[in-house]
Amino acid sequence: QMQLVESGGGLVQAGGSLRLSCAASGRTFSSYAMGWFRQAPGKEREFLTAINWSGGSTYYVDSVKGRFTISRDNAKNTVYLQMNSLKPEDTAVYYCAASPIGGVHTTGRNFKTWGQGTQVTVSS
């Protein structure tokens, strides 16, 4: 079964950048769609972005479009989230997730495997 491990979180000032990584175990990574989510204190988990199995198609919710970029390297079994122009409201625990449905996702449904999360804190 696939396991996901996020890294790259930390403390950054508003306007700064961070790159999150999510390393996957297992040989089926390249057939899975991948997504990034976040959960701020007292809020529900929020779907942010997804990428299809090949990396050729991506989707972003409006709140991160133009600031965040999802990418993947199937040779390294890793998906990335480049976050630029960070805002204090981006503060949350960020999770990567995998879906066996390999096409691009426009919602957070059908993601079955989750990482443990990495904290991102943006100071004003």
Side-chain angles (χ1 to χ4, degrees):
Q1 183 169 347
M2 181 184 293
Q3 293 186 326
L4 303 173
V5 178
E6 300 97 335
S7 61
L11 174 64
V12 64
Q13 288 189 333
S17 299
L18 280 175
R19 189 176 83 152
L20 306 183
S21 299
C22 173
S25 63
R27 293 174 291 178
T28 57
F29 174 79
S30 61
S31 67
Y32 278 63
M34 300 297 295
W36 285 96
F37 297 70
R38 68 186 178 191
Q39 187 166 20
K43 295 188 177 182
E44 293 186 354
R45 187 172 294 183
E46 176 188 13
F47 168 68
L48 301 177
T49 178
I51 189 167
N52 76 327
W53 67 274
S54 69
S57 295
T58 58
Y59 176 83
Y60 300 90
V61 298
D62 287 345
S63 60
V64 304
K65 194 178 298 182
R67 300 190 299 125
F68 291 9
T69 302
I70 189 172
S71 62
R72 67 189 296 161
D73 185 337
N74 286 344
K76 296 183 178 179
N77 278 16
T78 302
V79 62
Y80 304 97
L81 183 66
Q82 178 67 44
M83 304 187 295
N84 299 329
S85 303
L86 283 162
K87 306 173 183 179
E89 52 263 44
D90 294 318
T91 295
V93 178
Y94 283 70
Y95 300 89
C96 69
S99 169
I101 302 172
V104 68
H105 294 245
T106 59
T107 72
R109 291 194 296 267
N110 298 313
F111 285 89
K112 307 298 185 184
T113 303
W114 295 84
Q116 84 290 349
T118 186
Q119 176 71 45
V120 171
T121 303
V122 184
S123 63
S124 57

